[in-house]
Amino acid sequence: MAAAKLLLTDFAFTVNHVPSNYIRPISDRPNLADVQTSDASIPVIDLQGLYGPNHSVIVHQIGQACQEYACQEYGFLQVKNHGVPEAMINNMVNLAREFFRLPESERLKNFSDDPSKANRLSTSFNVKTEKVANWRDFLRLHCLPLEDHVLEWPSNPPSFRKVVAEYCTRVRGLTLRLLEAISESLGLKRDHIDKTLSKHGQHMALNYYPPCPQPELTYGLPGHTDPNLITILLQDDVPGLQVLINGKWVAVNPIPNTFIINIGDQMQVISNDRYKSVLHRAVVNCEKERTSIPTFYCPSPDALIGPAEELIDDEHPAVYRNFTYADYYKKFWNRGLATECCLDMFKASNS
Ligand code: OGA
Ligand code: NI
């Protein structure tokens, strides 16, 4: 038998069949013909006037997009005029592509299959626990505080650290604005969520999905919810992200210069289930490589997470018990990506 491949990228370009360890059981395949492609299904919110006279209108729009309304379950929104310069976005996407095009020997300097390692290159999701592999390589980075991590980031391409540091600083600014707006939309103090997170954490992934000869048989990432607080996703111009809305998978086609924002499990907890951490997945295609760059904003590991007291009353009892983010995160990585939400393990009672 050939030696197991550590990374997918170069290997993917040499095969004309999906190797058996990537093939999903028939009951768990993407059924791409059933996916809806309605561009209007995920709200696009213009953040231009967030600090002007339209403040409360925009806060309201954000709140609506985070919850169920008009019989639609969202938990996903897109934002434009978000304050991250277009050039910075383009630099980031180009850099990610450049990184995955480096010779494999160069990329492998960053390899680790240990999920507890902060900054590492790996493949699939968690190669130590999963039964079926995913058609993805990824570089995972911690970004906060920057100076604790930058020296562990790749140094090749030579501009890597500078470009990523600039990008994640700007994205952090956007995230803090969104967290204020979301707090407000829940009727909480503006700084409620900010304060709940203790020291805050910011992680990032550079996801690389090589072209796949049989995209019907496998996933880039199977359906999952994000375990963190809120995710700010940048995708290149190749479609692949899909969101489960009313039981149907809907493609979120790329809009230039727009970020996709999704509510993560911790936001669902803090909001006491008012806001939803929605299932989403990444599918692959046979023609084009695809790059996506999610920023995962999260509580620090020691932060105590639980429903906001202001959102608990007789009609809305606490749905979740309090827990530390470290507890949650460990459970998430150990159980693997699964459509049953990890949140169920943190419910207030077993009712
Ligand atoms: C993720 C994710 C979607 C994508 O990394 O958690 O959902 O389009 N990525 O790559
Ligand atoms: Ni995700």
Side-chain angles (χ1 to χ4, degrees):
M1 209 175 93
K5 297 278 175 197
L6 291 178
L7 293 173
L8 170 66
T9 298
D10 289 29
F11 175 66
F13 285 90
T14 68
V15 291
N16 48 24
H17 292 283
V18 168
S20 58
N21 58 320
Y22 288 89
I23 299 181
R24 294 269 156 187
I26 291 172
S27 60
D28 176 27
R29 290 189 185 167
N31 286 322
L32 297 171
D34 283 352
V35 172
Q36 301 188 342
T37 45
S38 152
D39 283 337
S41 49
I42 308 290
V44 182
I45 296 174
D46 186 343
L47 296 183
Q48 181 83 61
L50 184 57
Y51 295 102
N54 277 340
H55 178 78
S56 53
V57 175
I58 298 172
V59 166
H60 181 73
Q61 287 173 344
I62 292 174
Q64 291 289 289
C66 293
Q67 58 190 305
E68 280 175 59
Y69 77 107
C71 303
Q72 295 267 26
E73 199 170 88
Y74 286 100
F76 261 76
L77 54 134
Q78 307 181 80
V79 293
K80 61 180 187 181
N81 293 319
H82 38 62
V84 183
E86 186 172 357
M88 211 174 265
I89 289 179
N90 293 338
N91 285 346
M92 188 61 237
V93 172
N94 290 336
L95 181 77
R97 284 199 195 115
E98 248 182 83
F99 175 81
F100 286 99
R101 285 173 187 165
L102 290 172
E104 188 175 87
S105 56
E106 186 59 33
R107 269 176 286 134
L108 277 172
K109 291 176 184 167
N110 306 286
F111 184 86
S112 165
D113 60 11
D114 175 4
S116 68
K117 198 166 175 291
N119 299 290
R120 68 187 180 110
L121 177 70
S122 192
T123 191
S124 188
F125 173 71
N126 185 351
V127 283
K128 288 196 165 154
T129 57
E130 66 205 3
K131 292 196 185 77
V132 184
N134 303 302
W135 203 261
R136 168 182 87 138
D137 283 341
F138 65 97
L139 178 69
R140 184 104 192 174
L141 304 173
H142 282 211
C143 315
L144 199 68
L146 262 181
E147 57 280 11
D148 288 2
H149 296 286
V150 166
L151 294 175
E152 275 186 37
W153 293 356
S155 53
N156 196 2
S159 63
F160 190 95
R161 293 175 182 174
K162 182 169 175 286
V163 169
V164 177
E166 280 172 3
Y167 175 81
C168 61
T169 303
R170 287 304 276 255
V171 169
R172 176 158 193 252
L174 167 63
T175 309
L176 295 176
R177 292 194 293 282
L178 287 169
L179 292 182
E180 280 191 4
I182 290 172
S183 297
E184 238 183 300
S185 74
L186 283 165
L188 301 170
K189 289 208 192 78
R190 246 188 216 197
D191 61 1
H192 178 94
I193 295 175
D194 176 355
K195 291 259 162 65
T196 305
L197 308 180
S198 186
K199 293 196 290 286
H200 297 204
Q202 184 178 348
H203 307 176
M204 199 172 157
L206 278 54
N207 289 324
Y208 184 81
Y209 305 99
C212 174
Q214 295 165 295
E216 284 286 355
L217 303 183
T218 191
Y219 288 110
L221 275 176
H224 66 281
T225 63
D226 289 351
N228 48 292
L229 182 73
I230 186 172
T231 302
I232 292 84
L233 179 83
L234 173 61
Q235 55 176 344
D236 70 3
D237 53 353
V238 180
L241 174 67
Q242 301 179 347
V243 181
L244 193 68
I245 298 179
N246 288 342
K248 292 248 179 223
W249 288 103
V250 176
V252 186
N253 289 333
I255 309 177
N257 249 327
T258 304
F259 287 105
I260 296 157
I261 314 291
N262 66 286
I263 296 300
D265 295 350
Q266 306 313 306
M267 187 74 87
Q268 181 166 334
V269 171
I270 293 170
S271 77
N272 202 26
D273 264 359
R274 297 252 298 268
Y275 291 178
K276 295 291 184 214
S277 179
V278 171
L279 280 173
H280 55 282
R281 66 186 191 182
V283 299
V284 289
N285 73 83
C286 42
E287 277 162 30
K288 289 186 173 161
E289 58 181 353
R290 173 171 182 264
T291 305
S292 76
I293 304 167
T295 293
F296 303 107
Y297 210 80
C298 34
S300 75
D302 61 329
L304 194 62
I305 303 296
E309 275 181 18
E310 295 87 332
L311 302 177
I312 301 173
D313 57 31
D314 289 346
E315 261 175 71
H316 308 93
V319 182
Y320 303 96
R321 59 182 171 84
N322 292 341
F323 53 85
T324 65
Y325 186 55
D327 275 352
Y328 197 91
Y329 204 61
K330 216 165 102 203
K331 283 232 164 55
F332 174 81
W333 277 94
N334 285 341
R335 65 192 259 297
L337 291 178
T339 42
E340 320 80 65
C341 191
C342 190
L343 278 174
D344 290 342
M345 293 191 266
F346 295 85
K347 289 252 154 97
S349 62
N350 296 322
S351 56

